[in-house]
Amino acid sequence: MLRGIVLFLALVSGDTPQEAVENTWAALRDGSPRDFLGSLTDETSSAILDTCREYLDTLRTLTGDDLGEIFASVRLEAAPDEVHHWDAMAVLEMVISSPGHHSLLNDTEISIDSVDTRDGVAVVYLTVMPPDGSPEEIIIMAASSPLGWRTGGLEPLAESALEYMMAP
């Protein structure tokens, strides 16, 4: 089992900072919360799950009608009272694998413009090209680990996605 875990972690890590970001993007497009978290630095993964826990606490305080509206807005088939059985991973899965978000991710392309690497840390400059919008330049961090490069610093993007989902 340990070999399987090490192999999995090696597969979701990249040999270069560019591959790390590409692996993270692929995991998002596949709608896999576990692969997505596995492609991130430990600190980023923990911070994203903490943010999801905070939003789960908010979701649990909403009325059934409000939850129904949120679920409808992300085209997620779930009963409002199911949220009481969710954990942080369920919130993350709702964000990245709901049909609406999944469709948006599949129709969006990224291109890596440049990578600046120093002392086991990299800054990756990329352009995100949404289907109906103008290209947006984004800066992503990556860090070297014993198993390869991992993507970091995505906490603000995850929080923005959750805030967008929760907006009325």
Side-chain angles (χ1 to χ4, degrees), residues 114-154:
S114 65
V115 178
D116 182 19
T117 307
R118 290 190 191 131
D119 300 324
V121 177
V123 180
V124 181
Y125 300 88
L126 57 103
T127 301
V128 177
M129 295 161 284
D132 295 330
S134 58
E136 185 174 337
E137 294 179 1
I138 296 180
I139 299 172
I140 305 264
M141 305 304 289
S144 181
S145 75
L147 295 173
W149 285 87
R150 300 282 180 97
T151 306
L154 296 182

Side-chain angles (χ1 to χ4, degrees), residues 21-166:
V21 170
E22 289 169 346
N23 290 343
T24 298
W25 181 247
L28 276 172
R29 289 180 87 169
D30 289 342
S32 172
R34 294 204 188 284
D35 289 352
F36 171 64
L37 291 174
S39 73
L40 304 176
T41 63
D42 291 341
E43 297 82 12
T44 299
S45 180
S46 292
I48 287 175
L49 286 175
D50 287 345
T51 300
C52 288
R53 277 186 208 92
E54 290 173 22
Y55 279 86
L56 177 58
D57 291 342
T58 301
L59 287 170
R60 287 180 173 160
T61 65
L62 298 176
T63 67
D65 288 344
D66 290 338
L67 282 172
E69 285 184 37
I70 289 171
F71 292 165
S73 73
V74 294
R75 296 187 298 177
L76 180 70
E77 293 183 26
D81 54 339
E82 286 179 20
V83 77
H84 295 288
H85 304 289
W86 286 10
D87 60 8
M89 192 68 109
V91 173
L92 181 60
E93 184 172 4
M94 179 176 69
V95 172
I96 69 173
S97 66
S98 69
H101 289 124
H102 188 69
S103 176
L104 176 65
L105 290 171
N106 281 329
D107 294 340
T108 299
E109 296 295 325
I110 66 166
S111 68
I112 297 182
D113 303 321
S114 65
V115 178
D116 182 19
T117 307
R118 290 190 191 131
D119 300 324
V121 177
V123 180
V124 181
Y125 300 88
L126 57 103
T127 301
V128 177
M129 295 161 284
D132 295 330
S134 58
E136 185 174 337
E137 294 179 1
I138 296 180
I139 299 172
I140 305 264
M141 305 304 289
S144 181
S145 75
L147 295 173
W149 285 87
R150 300 282 180 97
T151 306
L154 296 182
E155 301 91 311
L157 295 174
E159 190 165 334
S160 293
L162 286 163
E163 286 173 3
Y164 177 78
M165 177 194 72
M166 298 286 286

